[in-house]
Amino acid sequence: MNKEFFPKDNLHPLQLTSADIILRQQLENSISCYFYNACDRIIQKLLSSCRWYILSHANALTLVVECPDQITNWRVLQQIVPMAAILGDIISSAKIRVCPPKKQGLPFEMRVDELAVYRDRA
């Protein structure tokens, strides 16, 4: 859509203000708490052994799980379907990115709207 049709005050600012940054952080923290509390104890324990966080961008929300070792990475990947189901209940345009330890592979990423494909394979 051509931006010329919108009044200038309806366009996104070119640079985020400190208030924008704070609001985004609060949103990410709130979604993180909501997601974690919706998880069962198995997933909560697994997440507690990793570094994980929620990132919000204009096009999608992303749950990032950074695994400390390959065994934990494998366990997280085994729980990706239930985690995606929980995240999908929060926002349907979300993604999950599971990161193995540095230099031990590439991150695996899936969109929660692809959940049906993974359920069929699980």
Side-chain angles (χ1 to χ4, degrees):
M1 185 167 243
N2 193 343
K3 292 182 180 181
E4 295 174 14
F5 295 115
F6 293 113
K8 290 186 189 247
D9 58 344
N10 284 351
L11 296 175
H12 294 288
L14 295 176
Q15 188 169 358
L16 294 176
T17 66
S18 58
D20 294 327
I21 293 167
I22 290 169
L23 288 171
R24 179 181 286 172
Q25 289 172 339
Q26 289 175 341
L27 174 67
E28 291 170 351
N29 288 338
S30 295
I31 292 172
S32 295
C33 289
Y34 188 81
F35 170 76
Y36 185 82
N37 290 331
C39 292
D40 63 22
R41 294 218 183 262
I42 294 168
I43 295 174
Q44 287 179 349
K45 185 176 179 183
L46 194 54
L47 288 172
S48 295
S49 66
C50 301
R51 179 174 184 256
W52 68 277
Y53 48 93
I54 299 280
L55 293 176
S56 60
H57 296 287
N59 57 348
L61 182 116
T62 305
L63 166 64
V64 180
V65 182
E66 296 177 356
C67 302
D69 54 57
Q70 288 290 38
I71 294 170
T72 306
N73 186 70
W74 178 245
R75 289 180 179 152
V76 170
L77 290 172
Q78 289 176 318
Q79 295 296 321
I80 200 163
V81 170
M83 287 192 302
I86 294 165
L87 195 57
D89 287 342
I90 298 169
I91 184 164
S92 60
S93 62
K95 299 185 294 187
I96 298 177
R97 181 180 307 132
V98 179
C99 304
K102 292 194 186 295
K103 298 181 182 179
Q104 293 188 20
L106 297 173
F108 174 79
E109 189 167 293
M110 72 169 279
R111 297 186 330 254
V112 296
D113 62 1
E114 300 173 324
L115 188 55
V117 173
Y118 292 94
R119 278 190 178 144
D120 294 342
R121 292 181 184 176

